[in-house]
Amino acid sequence: MWLIVGLGNPGPKYELTRHNYGFLVVDELARRLGKLVRTPECQSLTCQGVIEGIPVLLAKPQTFMNISGVAVASLTAKHPIVSPAQVLVISDDLALPFGRLRIRREGSAGGHNGLKSIIEKLGTQSFPRLRLGIAPDHPMADTRDYVLGTFTRSEQAELPATIDRAADAATVLFTRGIEAAMADFN
C-alpha cells in the first residue's frame, strides 16, 4: 500500500490558499476514484482506493502544516506501509515557479515546515515528494502571508491543469516508479 499525503491546513479559511496545494492534488486523486477524502483517522481525513492496481491511502493531515509529521507517523504505524519509500508527500514549494513540478526520491525539508515535521517524525529524509511550484514572479516582503494567501486570478485559471498534471505525476510515481515520474514530469 502507498500512503499519498497532501499537505495543507484544515478549515475553510485556508481552503484555496497556496499552502493547501497538496490537499487539492489529493482531492483530485480521490475524485478520479469517485471518492472524497473525508474519513477521520489519525488526525487526518483519508480515503482508500486502488489506482491502476495499486492500493493507496489518500490523506490530508488535519494537524496544521507545521506538525504534519504527527499525522503521517500515526498513519504509517496503523496501515501496512512497508517503508517510508512508500509515502509520497505532495507539498507547495516557494523555490519553484508557479505550475512547475519537481519529483525527488528524498531530500531535506528545504525550509518547508510540513516536510521538516514529517522528516522528524519518520526519522528519515528517504521518502519521495512531489513539490508544486508557487513562487511569485516578483519579490515578496512576507512569505507567510504569501503562502497563506489565495491564488491570483491568473494562477486560478492555470490551477485545474496544474492539479491534473500533478495527479498524473503522482500516479506515474507509484505505478511506474520514481525514475519514470522524474523523466516525464521534472
Side-chain angles (χ1 to χ4, degrees), residues 2 4 85 88-90 100-105 128-131 165-186:
W2 273 82
I4 314 302
L88 171 61
V89 178
I90 305 172
R100 280 283 301 277
L101 305 179
R102 175 88 29 92
I103 299 165
R104 291 285 181 255
R105 180 181 312 280
R129 67 269 329 255
L130 170 55
R131 296 170 21 203
R165 189 165 181 264
D168 289 345
T171 302
V172 168
L173 189 147
F174 59 80
T175 58
R176 293 183 27 226
I178 195 160
E179 297 299 329
M182 288 174 16
D184 289 355
F185 295 94
N186 278 356

Side-chain angles (χ1 to χ4, degrees), residues 24-71:
L24 298 173
V25 175
V26 165
D27 284 338
E28 172 58 19
L29 288 166
R31 187 198 64 75
R32 292 176 180 191
L33 290 169
K35 297 185 176 202
L36 295 172
V37 183
R38 65 177 178 195
T39 303
E41 69 171 310
C42 300
Q43 299 181 61
S44 300
L45 296 177
T46 67
C47 81
Q48 291 189 39
V50 177
I51 299 175
E52 295 190 27
I54 308 290
V56 297
L57 175 65
L58 303 175
K60 298 188 319 187
Q62 300 296 290
T63 54
F64 286 93
M65 182 69 75
N66 293 353
I67 55 172
S68 298
V70 172

Side-chain angles (χ1 to χ4, degrees), residues 136-184:
D137 55 2
H138 55 78
M140 67 184 133
D142 186 345
T143 58
R144 183 184 180 282
D145 284 347
Y146 181 77
V147 299
L148 293 177
T150 57
F151 293 99
T152 65
R153 278 198 181 121
S154 64
E155 289 170 342
Q156 287 177 22
E158 294 178 45
L159 205 51
T162 304
I163 290 169
D164 194 52
R165 189 165 181 264
D168 289 345
T171 302
V172 168
L173 189 147
F174 59 80
T175 58
R176 293 183 27 226
I178 195 160
E179 297 299 329
M182 288 174 16
D184 289 355

Side-chain angles (χ1 to χ4, degrees), residues 99-117:
R100 280 283 301 277
L101 305 179
R102 175 88 29 92
I103 299 165
R104 291 285 181 255
R105 180 181 312 280
E106 59 185 39
S108 72
H112 194 287
N113 289 332
L115 289 171
K116 181 180 176 184
S117 175

